[in-house]
mmCIF file of all heavy atoms in Angstrom:
data_model
loop_
_atom_site.group_PDB
_atom_site.id
_atom_site.type_symbol
_atom_site.label_atom_id
_atom_site.label_comp_id
_atom_site.label_asym_id
_atom_site.label_seq_id
_atom_site.Cartn_x
_atom_site.Cartn_y
_atom_site.Cartn_z
ATOM 1 N N GLU W 79 -9.870 -10.565 57.843
ATOM 2 C CA GLU W 79 -11.144 -10.966 58.455
ATOM 3 C C GLU W 79 -12.020 -9.780 58.827
ATOM 4 O O GLU W 79 -13.184 -9.956 59.166
ATOM 5 C CB GLU W 79 -10.887 -11.803 59.714
ATOM 6 C CG GLU W 79 -10.320 -13.182 59.434
ATOM 7 C CD GLU W 79 -8.810 -13.136 59.238
ATOM 8 O OE1 GLU W 79 -8.151 -12.214 59.764
ATOM 9 O OE2 GLU W 79 -8.292 -14.017 58.538
ATOM 10 N N SER W 80 -11.492 -8.570 58.809
ATOM 11 C CA SER W 80 -12.283 -7.409 59.206
ATOM 12 C C SER W 80 -13.311 -7.061 58.126
ATOM 13 O O SER W 80 -13.151 -7.402 56.957
ATOM 14 C CB SER W 80 -11.373 -6.209 59.485
ATOM 15 O OG SER W 80 -10.683 -5.857 58.314
ATOM 16 N N THR W 81 -14.358 -6.373 58.559
ATOM 17 C CA THR W 81 -15.428 -5.982 57.634
ATOM 18 C C THR W 81 -15.686 -4.489 57.759
ATOM 19 O O THR W 81 -15.467 -3.886 58.806
ATOM 20 C CB THR W 81 -16.731 -6.747 57.925
ATOM 21 O OG1 THR W 81 -17.148 -6.455 59.245
ATOM 22 C CG2 THR W 81 -16.563 -8.235 57.739
ATOM 23 N N ILE W 82 -16.158 -3.917 56.668
ATOM 24 C CA ILE W 82 -16.564 -2.512 56.634
ATOM 25 C C ILE W 82 -17.964 -2.491 56.054
ATOM 26 O O ILE W 82 -18.188 -2.929 54.928
ATOM 27 C CB ILE W 82 -15.613 -1.673 55.749
ATOM 28 C CG1 ILE W 82 -14.211 -1.668 56.341
ATOM 29 C CG2 ILE W 82 -16.130 -0.249 55.598
ATOM 30 C CD1 ILE W 82 -13.187 -0.972 55.507
ATOM 31 N N VAL W 83 -18.914 -2.013 56.853
ATOM 32 C CA VAL W 83 -20.321 -1.942 56.480
ATOM 33 C C VAL W 83 -20.810 -3.310 55.997
ATOM 34 O O VAL W 83 -21.520 -3.443 55.017
ATOM 35 C CB VAL W 83 -20.570 -0.860 55.404
ATOM 36 C CG1 VAL W 83 -22.058 -0.591 55.238
ATOM 37 C CG2 VAL W 83 -19.861 0.432 55.728
ATOM 38 N N GLY W 84 -20.374 -4.359 56.654
ATOM 39 C CA GLY W 84 -20.808 -5.710 56.344
ATOM 40 C C GLY W 84 -20.079 -6.369 55.186
ATOM 41 O O GLY W 84 -20.361 -7.520 54.851
ATOM 42 N N LEU W 85 -19.174 -5.667 54.557
ATOM 43 C CA LEU W 85 -18.413 -6.237 53.443
ATOM 44 C C LEU W 85 -17.003 -6.576 53.905
ATOM 45 O O LEU W 85 -16.413 -5.840 54.692
ATOM 46 C CB LEU W 85 -18.311 -5.232 52.285
ATOM 47 C CG LEU W 85 -19.620 -4.872 51.584
ATOM 48 C CD1 LEU W 85 -19.398 -3.747 50.594
ATOM 49 C CD2 LEU W 85 -20.175 -6.087 50.860
ATOM 50 N N PRO W 86 -16.459 -7.682 53.431
ATOM 51 C CA PRO W 86 -15.078 -8.017 53.796
ATOM 52 C C PRO W 86 -14.115 -6.916 53.343
ATOM 53 O O PRO W 86 -14.276 -6.326 52.270
ATOM 54 C CB PRO W 86 -14.799 -9.324 53.050
ATOM 55 C CG PRO W 86 -16.133 -9.859 52.675
ATOM 56 C CD PRO W 86 -17.061 -8.707 52.578
ATOM 57 N N PHE W 87 -13.094 -6.640 54.166
ATOM 58 C CA PHE W 87 -12.156 -5.556 53.886
ATOM 59 C C PHE W 87 -11.414 -5.761 52.564
ATOM 60 O O PHE W 87 -11.170 -4.805 51.833
ATOM 61 C CB PHE W 87 -11.145 -5.413 55.028
ATOM 62 C CG PHE W 87 -10.150 -4.334 54.794
ATOM 63 C CD1 PHE W 87 -10.518 -3.002 54.901
ATOM 64 C CD2 PHE W 87 -8.844 -4.637 54.440
ATOM 65 C CE1 PHE W 87 -9.606 -1.993 54.673
ATOM 66 C CE2 PHE W 87 -7.918 -3.637 54.196
ATOM 67 C CZ PHE W 87 -8.301 -2.312 54.325
ATOM 68 N N ASP W 88 -11.066 -7.011 52.236
ATOM 69 C CA ASP W 88 -10.339 -7.247 50.990
ATOM 70 C C ASP W 88 -11.190 -6.898 49.770
ATOM 71 O O ASP W 88 -10.685 -6.389 48.773
ATOM 72 C CB ASP W 88 -9.796 -8.672 50.914
ATOM 73 C CG ASP W 88 -10.833 -9.735 51.200
ATOM 74 O OD1 ASP W 88 -11.960 -9.391 51.597
ATOM 75 O OD2 ASP W 88 -10.500 -10.928 51.023
ATOM 76 N N TRP W 89 -12.495 -7.124 49.837
ATOM 77 C CA TRP W 89 -13.377 -6.753 48.742
ATOM 78 C C TRP W 89 -13.452 -5.231 48.617
ATOM 79 O O TRP W 89 -13.431 -4.686 47.520
ATOM 80 C CB TRP W 89 -14.778 -7.306 48.970
ATOM 81 C CG TRP W 89 -14.922 -8.768 48.702
ATOM 82 C CD1 TRP W 89 -13.962 -9.732 48.820
ATOM 83 C CD2 TRP W 89 -16.105 -9.417 48.283
ATOM 84 N NE1 TRP W 89 -14.479 -10.945 48.515
ATOM 85 C CE2 TRP W 89 -15.807 -10.792 48.182
ATOM 86 C CE3 TRP W 89 -17.392 -9.004 48.001
ATOM 87 C CZ2 TRP W 89 -16.741 -11.726 47.785
ATOM 88 C CZ3 TRP W 89 -18.325 -9.927 47.612
ATOM 89 C CH2 TRP W 89 -18.004 -11.280 47.495
ATOM 90 N N VAL W 90 -13.569 -4.570 49.756
ATOM 91 C CA VAL W 90 -13.634 -3.109 49.739
ATOM 92 C C VAL W 90 -12.316 -2.537 49.185
ATOM 93 O O VAL W 90 -12.317 -1.602 48.392
ATOM 94 C CB VAL W 90 -13.925 -2.553 51.151
ATOM 95 C CG1 VAL W 90 -13.816 -1.044 51.176
ATOM 96 C CG2 VAL W 90 -15.304 -2.999 51.624
ATOM 97 N N LEU W 91 -11.206 -3.120 49.617
ATOM 98 C CA LEU W 91 -9.902 -2.656 49.156
ATOM 99 C C LEU W 91 -9.753 -2.824 47.641
ATOM 100 O O LEU W 91 -9.338 -1.903 46.947
ATOM 101 C CB LEU W 91 -8.796 -3.420 49.881
ATOM 102 C CG LEU W 91 -7.372 -3.003 49.581
ATOM 103 C CD1 LEU W 91 -7.131 -1.590 50.085
ATOM 104 C CD2 LEU W 91 -6.408 -3.973 50.231
ATOM 105 N N LEU W 92 -10.104 -3.984 47.137
ATOM 106 C CA LEU W 92 -9.994 -4.217 45.701
ATOM 107 C C LEU W 92 -11.076 -3.489 44.910
ATOM 108 O O LEU W 92 -10.832 -3.030 43.793
ATOM 109 C CB LEU W 92 -10.041 -5.711 45.398
ATOM 110 C CG LEU W 92 -8.810 -6.495 45.839
ATOM 111 C CD1 LEU W 92 -9.020 -7.985 45.605
ATOM 112 C CD2 LEU W 92 -7.580 -6.017 45.121
ATOM 113 N N GLY W 93 -12.264 -3.380 45.489
ATOM 114 C CA GLY W 93 -13.376 -2.742 44.772
ATOM 115 C C GLY W 93 -13.291 -1.231 44.748
ATOM 116 O O GLY W 93 -13.550 -0.603 43.715
ATOM 117 N N ALA W 94 -12.927 -0.616 45.856
ATOM 118 C CA ALA W 94 -12.904 0.843 45.921
ATOM 119 C C ALA W 94 -11.492 1.408 45.939
ATOM 120 O O ALA W 94 -11.284 2.554 45.574
ATOM 121 C CB ALA W 94 -13.657 1.309 47.173
ATOM 122 N N GLY W 95 -10.520 0.630 46.353
ATOM 123 C CA GLY W 95 -9.165 1.144 46.461
ATOM 124 C C GLY W 95 -8.378 1.110 45.173
ATOM 125 O O GLY W 95 -7.444 1.884 44.987
ATOM 126 N N ILE W 96 -8.753 0.227 44.258
ATOM 127 C CA ILE W 96 -7.970 0.082 43.040
ATOM 128 C C ILE W 96 -8.343 1.124 41.987
ATOM 129 O O ILE W 96 -7.482 1.541 41.199
ATOM 130 C CB ILE W 96 -8.093 -1.355 42.472
ATOM 131 C CG1 ILE W 96 -6.975 -1.650 41.479
ATOM 132 C CG2 ILE W 96 -9.419 -1.568 41.823
ATOM 133 C CD1 ILE W 96 -5.631 -1.683 42.088
ATOM 134 N N TYR W 97 -9.579 1.595 41.969
ATOM 135 C CA TYR W 97 -9.995 2.548 40.941
ATOM 136 C C TYR W 97 -9.287 3.894 41.034
ATOM 137 O O TYR W 97 -8.910 4.451 40.004
ATOM 138 C CB TYR W 97 -11.517 2.689 40.925
ATOM 139 C CG TYR W 97 -12.157 1.439 40.392
ATOM 140 C CD1 TYR W 97 -12.827 0.561 41.235
ATOM 141 C CD2 TYR W 97 -12.047 1.110 39.043
ATOM 142 C CE1 TYR W 97 -13.377 -0.605 40.748
ATOM 143 C CE2 TYR W 97 -12.593 -0.056 38.556
ATOM 144 C CZ TYR W 97 -13.274 -0.910 39.406
ATOM 145 O OH TYR W 97 -13.807 -2.054 38.919
ATOM 146 N N PRO W 98 -9.071 4.443 42.221
ATOM 147 C CA PRO W 98 -8.263 5.668 42.269
ATOM 148 C C PRO W 98 -6.829 5.441 41.770
ATOM 149 O O PRO W 98 -6.241 6.330 41.142
ATOM 150 C CB PRO W 98 -8.267 6.051 43.745
ATOM 151 C CG PRO W 98 -9.503 5.447 44.286
ATOM 152 C CD PRO W 98 -9.695 4.173 43.520
ATOM 153 N N VAL W 99 -6.275 4.267 42.005
ATOM 154 C CA VAL W 99 -4.922 3.962 41.518
ATOM 155 C C VAL W 99 -4.921 3.895 39.994
ATOM 156 O O VAL W 99 -4.002 4.410 39.339
ATOM 157 C CB VAL W 99 -4.404 2.643 42.137
ATOM 158 C CG1 VAL W 99 -3.095 2.233 41.522
ATOM 159 C CG2 VAL W 99 -4.292 2.773 43.638
ATOM 160 N N ILE W 100 -5.944 3.300 39.406
ATOM 161 C CA ILE W 100 -6.058 3.249 37.945
ATOM 162 C C ILE W 100 -6.188 4.663 37.387
ATOM 163 O O ILE W 100 -5.509 5.032 36.421
ATOM 164 C CB ILE W 100 -7.264 2.383 37.516
ATOM 165 C CG1 ILE W 100 -7.015 0.922 37.860
ATOM 166 C CG2 ILE W 100 -7.551 2.548 36.021
ATOM 167 C CD1 ILE W 100 -8.230 0.031 37.664
ATOM 168 N N GLY W 101 -7.046 5.462 37.985
ATOM 169 C CA GLY W 101 -7.234 6.846 37.530
ATOM 170 C C GLY W 101 -5.967 7.672 37.655
ATOM 171 O O GLY W 101 -5.619 8.441 36.750
ATOM 172 N N LEU W 102 -5.265 7.528 38.767
ATOM 173 C CA LEU W 102 -4.018 8.261 38.972
ATOM 174 C C LEU W 102 -2.955 7.832 37.968
ATOM 175 O O LEU W 102 -2.236 8.673 37.411
ATOM 176 C CB LEU W 102 -3.510 8.056 40.401
ATOM 177 C CG LEU W 102 -2.228 8.781 40.762
ATOM 178 C CD1 LEU W 102 -2.459 10.290 40.737
ATOM 179 C CD2 LEU W 102 -1.741 8.341 42.120
ATOM 180 N N SER W 103 -2.865 6.537 37.702
ATOM 181 C CA SER W 103 -1.899 6.037 36.716
ATOM 182 C C SER W 103 -2.220 6.583 35.329
ATOM 183 O O SER W 103 -1.314 7.007 34.603
ATOM 184 C CB SER W 103 -1.905 4.515 36.674
ATOM 185 O OG SER W 103 -1.507 3.976 37.898
ATOM 186 N N ALA W 104 -3.484 6.585 34.961
ATOM 187 C CA ALA W 104 -3.884 7.099 33.644
ATOM 188 C C ALA W 104 -3.603 8.589 33.538
ATOM 189 O O ALA W 104 -3.079 9.063 32.521
ATOM 190 C CB ALA W 104 -5.368 6.816 33.401
ATOM 191 N N TRP W 105 -3.928 9.347 34.570
ATOM 192 C CA TRP W 105 -3.689 10.794 34.569
ATOM 193 C C TRP W 105 -2.198 11.086 34.452
ATOM 194 O O TRP W 105 -1.786 11.952 33.668
ATOM 195 C CB TRP W 105 -4.262 11.411 35.837
ATOM 196 C CG TRP W 105 -3.963 12.873 35.965
ATOM 197 C CD1 TRP W 105 -4.580 13.897 35.319
ATOM 198 C CD2 TRP W 105 -2.951 13.451 36.787
ATOM 199 N NE1 TRP W 105 -4.009 15.089 35.689
ATOM 200 C CE2 TRP W 105 -3.005 14.842 36.595
ATOM 201 C CE3 TRP W 105 -2.016 12.933 37.672
ATOM 202 C CZ2 TRP W 105 -2.160 15.708 37.259
ATOM 203 C CZ3 TRP W 105 -1.179 13.808 38.328
ATOM 204 C CH2 TRP W 105 -1.252 15.179 38.120
ATOM 205 N N LEU W 106 -1.393 10.365 35.210
ATOM 206 C CA LEU W 106 0.055 10.552 35.167
ATOM 207 C C LEU W 106 0.602 10.232 33.784
ATOM 208 O O LEU W 106 1.424 10.975 33.233
ATOM 209 C CB LEU W 106 0.728 9.668 36.217
ATOM 210 C CG LEU W 106 2.246 9.689 36.245
ATOM 211 C CD1 LEU W 106 2.741 11.039 36.734
ATOM 212 C CD2 LEU W 106 2.769 8.584 37.147
ATOM 213 N N TYR W 107 0.137 9.144 33.191
ATOM 214 C CA TYR W 107 0.621 8.753 31.864
ATOM 215 C C TYR W 107 0.255 9.794 30.814
ATOM 216 O O TYR W 107 1.098 10.209 30.015
ATOM 217 C CB TYR W 107 0.059 7.392 31.465
ATOM 218 C CG TYR W 107 0.530 6.984 30.099
ATOM 219 C CD1 TYR W 107 1.794 6.448 29.909
ATOM 220 C CD2 TYR W 107 -0.269 7.187 28.983
ATOM 221 C CE1 TYR W 107 2.252 6.106 28.656
ATOM 222 C CE2 TYR W 107 0.178 6.863 27.716
ATOM 223 C CZ TYR W 107 1.439 6.313 27.573
ATOM 224 O OH TYR W 107 1.885 5.994 26.314
ATOM 225 N N ILE W 108 -0.990 10.226 30.801
ATOM 226 C CA ILE W 108 -1.453 11.181 29.796
ATOM 227 C C ILE W 108 -0.723 12.513 29.936
ATOM 228 O O ILE W 108 -0.277 13.111 28.954
ATOM 229 C CB ILE W 108 -2.980 11.372 29.888
ATOM 230 C CG1 ILE W 108 -3.679 10.103 29.413
ATOM 231 C CG2 ILE W 108 -3.439 12.577 29.086
ATOM 232 C CD1 ILE W 108 -5.159 10.088 29.677
ATOM 233 N N ARG W 109 -0.574 12.983 31.156
ATOM 234 C CA ARG W 109 0.097 14.258 31.405
ATOM 235 C C ARG W 109 1.556 14.216 30.948
ATOM 236 O O ARG W 109 2.051 15.121 30.268
ATOM 237 C CB ARG W 109 0.003 14.584 32.894
ATOM 238 C CG ARG W 109 0.602 15.905 33.257
ATOM 239 C CD ARG W 109 0.311 16.219 34.729
ATOM 240 N NE ARG W 109 1.380 17.053 35.212
ATOM 241 C CZ ARG W 109 2.236 16.722 36.166
ATOM 242 N NH1 ARG W 109 2.131 15.570 36.761
ATOM 243 N NH2 ARG W 109 3.179 17.547 36.534
ATOM 244 N N THR W 110 2.250 13.153 31.293
ATOM 245 C CA THR W 110 3.664 13.046 30.943
ATOM 246 C C THR W 110 3.843 12.772 29.454
ATOM 247 O O THR W 110 4.779 13.287 28.834
ATOM 248 C CB THR W 110 4.334 11.952 31.787
ATOM 249 O OG1 THR W 110 4.001 12.165 33.163
ATOM 250 C CG2 THR W 110 5.827 11.991 31.650
ATOM 251 N N ALA W 111 2.959 11.979 28.853
ATOM 252 C CA ALA W 111 3.045 11.728 27.406
ATOM 253 C C ALA W 111 2.823 13.018 26.630
ATOM 254 O O ALA W 111 3.525 13.288 25.641
ATOM 255 C CB ALA W 111 2.033 10.672 26.991
ATOM 256 N N ALA W 112 1.881 13.839 27.060
ATOM 257 C CA ALA W 112 1.643 15.120 26.397
ATOM 258 C C ALA W 112 2.866 16.031 26.536
ATOM 259 O O ALA W 112 3.231 16.744 25.593
ATOM 260 C CB ALA W 112 0.404 15.789 26.977
ATOM 261 N N ARG W 113 3.505 16.007 27.695
ATOM 262 C CA ARG W 113 4.717 16.808 27.893
ATOM 263 C C ARG W 113 5.844 16.318 26.976
ATOM 264 O O ARG W 113 6.551 17.121 26.377
ATOM 265 C CB ARG W 113 5.162 16.752 29.348
ATOM 266 C CG ARG W 113 6.322 17.687 29.621
ATOM 267 C CD ARG W 113 6.817 17.665 31.044
ATOM 268 N NE ARG W 113 5.790 17.407 32.021
ATOM 269 C CZ ARG W 113 5.959 16.662 33.108
ATOM 270 N NH1 ARG W 113 7.141 16.127 33.356
ATOM 271 N NH2 ARG W 113 5.000 16.465 33.962
ATOM 272 N N ASN W 114 5.997 15.001 26.843
ATOM 273 C CA ASN W 114 7.013 14.451 25.938
ATOM 274 C C ASN W 114 6.755 14.889 24.494
ATOM 275 O O ASN W 114 7.679 15.271 23.772
ATOM 276 C CB ASN W 114 7.038 12.929 26.003
ATOM 277 C CG ASN W 114 7.645 12.405 27.278
ATOM 278 O OD1 ASN W 114 8.319 13.127 28.008
ATOM 279 N ND2 ASN W 114 7.397 11.137 27.555
ATOM 280 N N GLU W 115 5.509 14.830 24.075
ATOM 281 C CA GLU W 115 5.171 15.212 22.709
ATOM 282 C C GLU W 115 5.362 16.706 22.490
ATOM 283 O O GLU W 115 5.799 17.131 21.415
ATOM 284 C CB GLU W 115 3.748 14.791 22.379
ATOM 285 C CG GLU W 115 3.610 13.284 22.273
ATOM 286 C CD GLU W 115 2.178 12.822 22.159
ATOM 287 O OE1 GLU W 115 1.269 13.673 22.039
ATOM 288 O OE2 GLU W 115 1.957 11.598 22.184
ATOM 289 N N ALA W 116 5.056 17.521 23.504
ATOM 290 C CA ALA W 116 5.274 18.968 23.387
ATOM 291 C C ALA W 116 6.764 19.275 23.260
ATOM 292 O O ALA W 116 7.165 20.136 22.466
ATOM 293 C CB ALA W 116 4.681 19.685 24.591
ATOM 294 N N ARG W 117 7.586 18.566 24.009
ATOM 295 C CA ARG W 117 9.039 18.758 23.886
ATOM 296 C C ARG W 117 9.524 18.353 22.496
ATOM 297 O O ARG W 117 10.381 19.010 21.916
ATOM 298 C CB ARG W 117 9.774 17.946 24.948
ATOM 299 C CG ARG W 117 9.632 18.527 26.328
ATOM 300 C CD ARG W 117 10.334 17.663 27.341
ATOM 301 N NE ARG W 117 10.163 18.213 28.673
ATOM 302 C CZ ARG W 117 10.379 17.524 29.781
ATOM 303 N NH1 ARG W 117 10.751 16.268 29.720
ATOM 304 N NH2 ARG W 117 10.194 18.093 30.959
ATOM 305 N N TYR W 118 8.960 17.288 21.953
ATOM 306 C CA TYR W 118 9.330 16.859 20.595
ATOM 307 C C TYR W 118 8.932 17.924 19.587
ATOM 308 O O TYR W 118 9.709 18.284 18.701
ATOM 309 C CB TYR W 118 8.656 15.530 20.261
ATOM 310 C CG TYR W 118 8.766 15.150 18.815
ATOM 311 C CD1 TYR W 118 9.973 14.703 18.292
ATOM 312 C CD2 TYR W 118 7.677 15.254 17.961
ATOM 313 C CE1 TYR W 118 10.086 14.379 16.946
ATOM 314 C CE2 TYR W 118 7.778 14.926 16.632
ATOM 315 C CZ TYR W 118 8.985 14.477 16.131
ATOM 316 O OH TYR W 118 9.099 14.158 14.813
ATOM 317 N N ARG W 119 7.700 18.459 19.715
ATOM 318 C CA ARG W 119 7.259 19.500 18.790
ATOM 319 C C ARG W 119 8.146 20.731 18.890
ATOM 320 O O ARG W 119 8.435 21.382 17.884
ATOM 321 C CB ARG W 119 5.804 19.869 19.062
ATOM 322 C CG ARG W 119 4.822 18.867 18.488
ATOM 323 C CD ARG W 119 3.396 19.389 18.524
ATOM 324 N NE ARG W 119 2.970 19.815 19.845
ATOM 325 C CZ ARG W 119 2.411 19.011 20.750
ATOM 326 N NH1 ARG W 119 2.226 17.747 20.469
ATOM 327 N NH2 ARG W 119 2.051 19.470 21.923
ATOM 328 N N ASP W 120 8.591 21.071 20.099
ATOM 329 C CA ASP W 120 9.510 22.211 20.257
ATOM 330 C C ASP W 120 10.823 21.950 19.543
ATOM 331 O O ASP W 120 11.399 22.845 18.925
ATOM 332 C CB ASP W 120 9.766 22.493 21.744
ATOM 333 C CG ASP W 120 8.562 23.117 22.426
ATOM 334 O OD1 ASP W 120 7.662 23.606 21.721
ATOM 335 O OD2 ASP W 120 8.542 23.097 23.673
ATOM 336 N N LEU W 121 11.328 20.713 19.647
ATOM 337 C CA LEU W 121 12.579 20.376 18.974
ATOM 338 C C LEU W 121 12.437 20.424 17.457
ATOM 339 O O LEU W 121 13.337 20.885 16.750
ATOM 340 C CB LEU W 121 13.063 18.985 19.398
ATOM 341 C CG LEU W 121 13.645 18.852 20.791
ATOM 342 C CD1 LEU W 121 13.901 17.390 21.116
ATOM 343 C CD2 LEU W 121 14.918 19.659 20.909
ATOM 344 N N VAL W 122 11.305 19.928 16.972
ATOM 345 C CA VAL W 122 11.093 19.869 15.526
ATOM 346 C C VAL W 122 10.805 21.267 14.971
ATOM 347 O O VAL W 122 11.154 21.577 13.853
ATOM 348 C CB VAL W 122 9.931 18.898 15.191
ATOM 349 C CG1 VAL W 122 9.519 18.988 13.753
ATOM 350 C CG2 VAL W 122 10.347 17.482 15.534
ATOM 351 N N GLY W 123 10.183 22.096 15.782
ATOM 352 C CA GLY W 123 9.895 23.454 15.342
ATOM 353 C C GLY W 123 8.434 23.736 15.129
ATOM 354 O O GLY W 123 8.081 24.813 14.692
ATOM 355 N N ASP W 124 7.549 22.797 15.420
ATOM 356 C CA ASP W 124 6.106 23.045 15.301
ATOM 357 C C ASP W 124 5.656 23.878 16.485
ATOM 358 O O ASP W 124 6.142 23.730 17.596
ATOM 359 C CB ASP W 124 5.314 21.733 15.317
ATOM 360 C CG ASP W 124 5.533 20.937 14.058
ATOM 361 O OD1 ASP W 124 6.047 21.515 13.088
ATOM 362 O OD2 ASP W 124 5.193 19.738 14.055
ATOM 363 N N LYS W 125 4.726 24.742 16.267
ATOM 364 C CA LYS W 125 4.169 25.544 17.365
ATOM 365 C C LYS W 125 2.709 25.256 17.525
ATOM 366 O O LYS W 125 2.003 24.916 16.673
ATOM 367 C CB LYS W 125 4.356 27.045 17.097
ATOM 368 C CG LYS W 125 5.818 27.414 17.024
ATOM 369 C CD LYS W 125 6.527 27.206 18.326
ATOM 370 C CE LYS W 125 7.995 27.485 18.179
ATOM 371 N NZ LYS W 125 8.797 26.927 19.180
#
Side-chain angles (χ1 to χ4, degrees):
E79 290 83 25
S80 62
T81 60
I82 296 176
V83 192
L85 294 173
F87 179 73
D88 51 353
W89 284 29
V90 173
L91 184 66
L92 290 175
I96 198 66
Y97 290 107
V99 173
I100 292 171
L102 181 66
S103 297
W105 175 78
L106 177 69
Y107 179 80
I108 290 170
R109 183 173 152 244
T110 310
R113 186 181 328 142
N114 287 344
E115 290 171 6
R117 287 178 181 163
Y118 169 74
R119 281 191 306 272
D120 288 344
L121 286 172
V122 170
D124 290 345
K125 297 295 176 199

